[in-house]
Amino acid sequence: MAVVKRPPFPVILVANDLVEGEVIFAAEHGWTRDVRAARVANDAEAAQALEQFGAAQARACKVVDAYLVDVEIEAGVPVPRHYRERLRTLGPSHRLDLGKQADFHL
Amino acid sequence: MYAYDELDRQIVRERVAQFASQVERRLDGSLTEEEFRPLRLKNGVYLQLHAYMLRVAIPYGGLSSRQLRQLALIAEKYDRGYGHFTTRTNIQFNWPKLREIPAILGLLADVDMHAIQTSGNCIRNTTTDCFAGAAFDEIEDPRPTAEWIRQWSTLHPEFDWLGRKFKIAVTATQQDRAVLRGHDVGVRIVRNAAGETGYRLYVGGGLGRTPMEGKLVRDFLPRAELLGYLEAILRVYNLEGRRDNKFKARIKILVHEIGLEAFRAQVEAEYSKVVAAAPAPDLREFERITASFDAPDFADLPEVSRKLEQAQAADPDLAQFVARNLFRHKKKGYVALTISLKSIGGAPGDATAEQMRAVADLAEQFSFDQVRVSYKQNLVLPHVRRDDVPEIFAVLKAQGLATPNVDLITDIICCPGLDYCALATARSIPLAQTLSRHFADPDKQKEIGELSIKISGCINACAHHHIANIGILGLEKSGGESYQITIGGDPGDQYALGELLGPGLPASAVPEAIDRVIGVYLDARRQGETFIETYRRLGVTPFKAAFKEIADAVA
């Protein structure tokens, strides 16, 4: 079997909601818009489970473009290591009144 | 404005119904994302970083008050209260929900608007001079030609699925205000020695990862032959252009690889087949379109407005606005007035719903109901009486729209960058805001004079950074944002691509680096020289030396 290329652990699963387009994160049950409630996978088995959940949800027309993002845990909260993914958890950096940063006071 | 007829309306309505059905089938699972993506892209719908984005077509940048009010309504009801005007003279909404997009398209259809040709590999929105129909120096109004091309290209069965997108610009003046040589095809309206009006065509220009200058392919084409000749160009591109690599699929690569002479020979051969196969071209359709543009009923006014002169004498802010934001009109007593969407510290090109309504009201009252969008991401009231400028200025000031900075250093062109765009490699808006604040002092701006800064958040160059006097390209370097600076670019008649000054810098070092570059100019300039003129005289070397001090300090 081919080796699956994954980012380093820990990871979270990020996707867009098909209907709303909004960025969402796989949670313990279903999806969440708040990255603080994202389910964190620390090993290959947990990461694979996230990927399978994402693929099934894409097939079921719930989400688009689901993929794993590597994070650091800061004060118990997953924070993406890459600035692009960090922006996706927050919203436009010049409009703090918009996006998740405004909705969740991040 | 071009007035839609029943056929135009039917095409748009049918397209809304078609896309509504496609969205329904996507949501119920009948269409996969892979199947749906090219369909949504045919209707201006992108999936961006935070949400969907809808790009609405503003053909050749022309809007009526009614249309602008409808955009304001959409911004408020279906988005977050604002829109972003782009360098392709379109508008983007950043937060629509997929389920609601068919309703938005319905609202657009109500005012003869749509999102056709704003994305996908087709002939895109045809752009032109933002002062079209008003400019003192135009041979004729270029908009009927732009509309003629639009009608020919919309849903063109042969050219609706090209190898890549295809962009056409039209202008009718000696001074190029539409970046002709940066387009796949540039159409210049000219007169020949016999006094006949026709077209000079450039081909193979473009920016992006491989910037190229458009090359002269036909010096004079009789007017009636335009669409036939464009058909020949498009057909040669469609047949011969590369499809193996999307980065090499634009016409500029074809022209570059086979050479202009070979390309021209192929086009001429194809054109003779077009001519042989079709009845002799005539101008009936062009004339019908021209007649569909309502001609403003200009008054006979004196050249000078005493009222404006007196108001200027009493109000230095108004005087500054008049000095920067007015453009000479072809009719005595009128001006074309630019509304800067570049307030100090603002996001370039953004306008709130309230601002859109205010501009729509001004256009209705003072500018024959017309508004234009410029590729520089500003708005224009094309036909304003000099007498009315003080009253317009007062309204603009109250709306935060009276920034007197047209073509100055704070009139920054800027793409959405990584704050919105899924393709971006770095943010661009925050850097534009920083630079705008850095150069906010009106006296400093005046001292520096005309100078363009353009900031793209990725190599695709939506903000035209290659052809900026000072171009900034945001990239990723070692896991962080890094900004490369080029200087000496020119979008107009002396079309030039900028030269790279050195390695990329962190955003925090960019203002000081630009200070150094401008310092070289201010020290060396001769009387009356603009930045680009001094650059042309000195070359890049002294600017590079000044830049290096900053680059070395942050390395």
Side-chain angles (χ1 to χ4, degrees):
Chain A
M1 211 177 109
V3 180
V4 182
K5 202 176 167 209
R6 289 202 187 99
F9 302 117
V11 293
I12 60 174
L13 185 77
V14 182
N16 290 88
D17 181 274
L18 172 68
V19 177
E20 306 268 318
E22 178 155 4
V23 177
I24 48 177
F25 311 94
E28 286 306 321
H29 304 285
W31 297 91
T32 175
R33 295 167 59 237
D34 184 345
V35 71
R36 292 171 299 185
R39 186 163 89 195
V40 178
N42 287 299
D43 56 43
E45 199 183 337
Q48 196 182 3
L50 278 178
E51 278 180 327
Q52 284 171 351
F53 173 67
Q57 290 284 290
R59 280 195 301 277
C61 294
K62 299 284 183 209
V63 301
V64 192
D65 284 351
Y67 59 89
L68 296 176
V69 164
D70 56 316
V71 295
E72 276 167 10
I73 307 300
E74 292 177 12
V77 175
V79 176
R81 287 199 183 95
H82 195 278
Y83 59 90
R84 179 185 195 272
E85 297 305 329
R86 232 165 16 239
L87 278 169
R88 295 190 80 199
T89 67
L90 296 171
S93 66
H94 69 299
R95 288 291 302 264
L96 302 181
D97 58 322
L98 296 174
K100 300 178 196 312
Q101 56 205 358
D103 296 346
F104 304 121
H105 309 289
L106 295 174
Chain B
M1 293 290 295
Y2 170 74
Y4 265 35
D5 63 17
E6 272 317 301
L7 192 60
D8 295 311
R9 293 209 172 89
Q10 189 188 334
I11 289 170
V12 172
R13 287 283 174 208
E14 285 175 2
R15 186 59 171 254
V16 175
Q18 183 190 48
F19 188 60
S21 145
Q22 288 162 347
V23 169
E24 224 166 274
R25 284 183 286 147
R26 175 69 188 109
L27 295 179
D28 74 16
S30 312
L31 290 173
T32 65
E33 185 60 19
E34 287 67 35
E35 290 164 333
F36 181 64
R37 188 182 300 118
L39 302 176
R40 70 167 157 76
L41 286 176
K42 279 284 178 208
N43 293 280
V45 182
Y46 289 75
L47 186 55
Q48 295 280 71
L49 216 57
H50 308 294
Y52 288 104
M53 179 269 278
L54 175 67
R55 184 181 295 151
V56 175
I58 304 178
Y60 37 90
L63 285 169
S64 66
S65 300
R66 181 166 164 251
Q67 289 174 327
L68 188 51
R69 285 191 192 109
Q70 196 78 330
L71 295 176
L73 177 78
I74 290 166
E76 249 168 26
K77 193 168 170 192
Y78 293 98
D79 212 83
R80 305 283 165 92
Y82 68 105
H84 172 75
F85 290 97
T86 76
T87 53
R88 299 271 317 134
T89 75
N90 292 316
I91 187 170
Q92 297 183 173
F93 294 110
N94 291 302
W95 307 91
K97 298 180 167 97
L98 182 59
R99 196 196 295 284
E100 293 177 344
I101 290 176
I104 299 173
L105 294 178
L107 285 174
L108 291 170
D110 289 347
V111 294
D112 303 338
M113 292 183 81
H114 55 77
I116 300 167
Q117 290 169 286
T118 60
S119 52
N121 293 336
C122 60
I123 301 171
R124 299 286 190 89
N125 186 20
T126 298
T127 52
T128 192
D129 182 2
C130 62
F131 302 124
F136 72 100
D137 55 348
E138 70 185 16
I139 287 176
E140 64 178 21
D141 187 342
R143 292 175 302 154
T145 293
E147 177 64 20
W148 199 25
I149 294 170
R150 186 195 73 74
Q151 296 202 8
W152 163 79
S153 62
T154 297
L155 313 184
H156 194 297
E158 187 176 339
F159 306 133
D160 212 28
W161 298 93
L162 296 165
R164 281 288 270 141
K165 56 190 169 184
F166 199 95
K167 299 173 182 175
I168 303 176
V170 183
T171 183
T173 56
Q174 193 72 41
Q175 185 195 33
D176 178 2
R177 292 188 290 264
V179 201
L180 281 194
R181 289 180 185 79
H183 282 78
D184 295 285
V185 167
V187 179
R188 174 165 256 158
I189 299 172
V190 291
R191 281 215 185 97
N192 66 7
E196 296 157 328
T197 306
Y199 302 106
R200 180 174 296 157
L201 300 184
Y202 302 88
V203 69
L207 300 171
R209 68 183 58 218
T210 318
M212 298 263 186
E213 178 177 352
K215 295 156 191 73
L216 184 67
V217 67
R218 190 57 124 86
D219 195 48
F220 186 83
L221 185 73
R223 164 158 279 158
E225 299 182 40
L226 178 64
L227 298 186
Y229 203 84
L230 286 177
E231 186 175 319
I233 290 174
L234 263 297
R235 189 166 295 153
V236 169
Y237 163 60
N238 208 10
L239 291 171
E240 304 296 330
R242 287 177 61 166
R243 286 179 187 252
D244 60 320
N245 178 343
K246 90 178 255 211
F247 301 129
K248 297 192 172 184
R250 297 287 290 268
I251 194 172
K252 64 189 173 189
I253 304 294
L254 174 66
V255 175
H256 181 71
E257 285 184 351
I258 70 172
L260 179 63
E261 289 313 313
F263 177 80
R264 183 187 287 131
Q266 287 197 34
V267 170
E268 292 291 341
E270 187 60 45
Y271 183 55
S272 52
K273 286 189 216 162
V274 171
V275 170
D282 62 58
L283 288 170
R284 275 179 301 178
E285 188 59 12
F286 178 78
E287 281 158 6
R288 183 194 70 79
I289 287 168
T290 303
S292 300
F293 278 84
D294 51 350
D297 188 12
F298 292 116
D300 203 11
L301 301 174
E303 182 82 54
V304 175
S305 163
R306 299 281 302 158
K307 192 176 159 192
L308 177 56
E309 283 182 353
Q310 282 163 5
Q312 271 180 264
D315 180 355
D317 289 350
L318 173 64
Q320 206 174 3
F321 180 84
V322 167
R324 274 322 320 166
N325 294 36
L326 302 188
F327 186 82
R328 191 171 149 199
H329 201 280
K330 62 184 175 188
K331 289 297 289 184
K332 268 195 321 202
Y334 286 86
V335 289
L337 183 151
T338 298
I339 300 168
S340 170
L341 297 181
K342 318 293 175 61
S343 63
I344 298 302
D350 279 12
T352 65
E354 191 189 339
Q355 289 174 327
M356 290 184 219
R357 286 202 184 93
V359 173
D361 290 349
L362 287 174
E364 188 172 43
Q365 196 180 347
F366 297 111
S367 186
F368 295 95
D369 215 27
Q370 292 190 32
V371 181
R372 305 285 167 71
V373 184
S374 76
Y375 86 84
K376 294 178 182 175
Q377 300 177 288
N378 292 319
L379 300 177
V380 170
L381 297 176
H383 310 300
V384 165
R385 289 181 188 218
R386 284 186 170 276
D387 273 356
D388 293 332
V389 170
E391 202 173 331
I392 294 169
F393 175 74
V395 174
L396 292 176
K397 202 171 175 182
Q399 290 291 338
L401 288 171
T403 317
N405 62 350
V406 171
D407 292 333
L408 295 179
I409 193 167
T410 58
D411 188 2
I412 298 172
I413 297 183
C414 181
C415 73
L418 195 58
D419 282 303
Y420 295 101
C421 178
L423 299 174
T425 42
R427 288 172 296 163
S428 48
I429 297 170
L431 182 53
Q433 293 173 305
T434 299
L435 290 173
S436 170
R437 290 190 196 103
H438 185 76
F439 291 106
D441 177 8
D443 294 333
K444 182 76 181 166
Q445 291 192 59
K446 201 172 163 190
E447 186 196 1
I448 294 168
E450 291 198 1
L451 192 159
S452 61
I453 293 182
K454 308 181 184 185
I455 310 174
S456 300
C458 83
I459 200 164
N460 292 308
C462 288
H464 303 181
H465 64 273
H466 301 290
I467 50 175
N469 296 167
I470 298 179
I472 302 176
L473 166 62
L475 295 167
E476 177 176 351
K477 188 171 156 188
S478 316
E481 292 164 300
S482 171
Y483 296 88
Q484 288 186 350
I485 302 180
T486 50
I487 65 164
D490 191 321
D493 303 296
Q494 300 193 58
Y495 191 90
L497 302 172
E499 288 206 52
L500 189 61
L501 286 180
L505 303 176
S508 57
V510 171
E512 199 181 347
I514 292 180
D515 278 342
R516 294 297 177 100
V517 166
I518 289 170
V520 172
Y521 154 63
L522 293 178
D523 287 345
R525 73 170 162 190
R526 291 176 182 163
Q527 179 92 32
E529 249 182 4
T530 60
F531 175 84
I532 191 71
E533 287 163 351
T534 301
Y535 167 83
R536 285 195 199 111
R537 181 167 57 77
L538 296 181
V540 75
T541 309
F543 296 97
K544 265 189 172 168
F547 176 85
K548 191 167 183 300
E549 288 174 29
I550 301 298
D552 288 348
V554 299

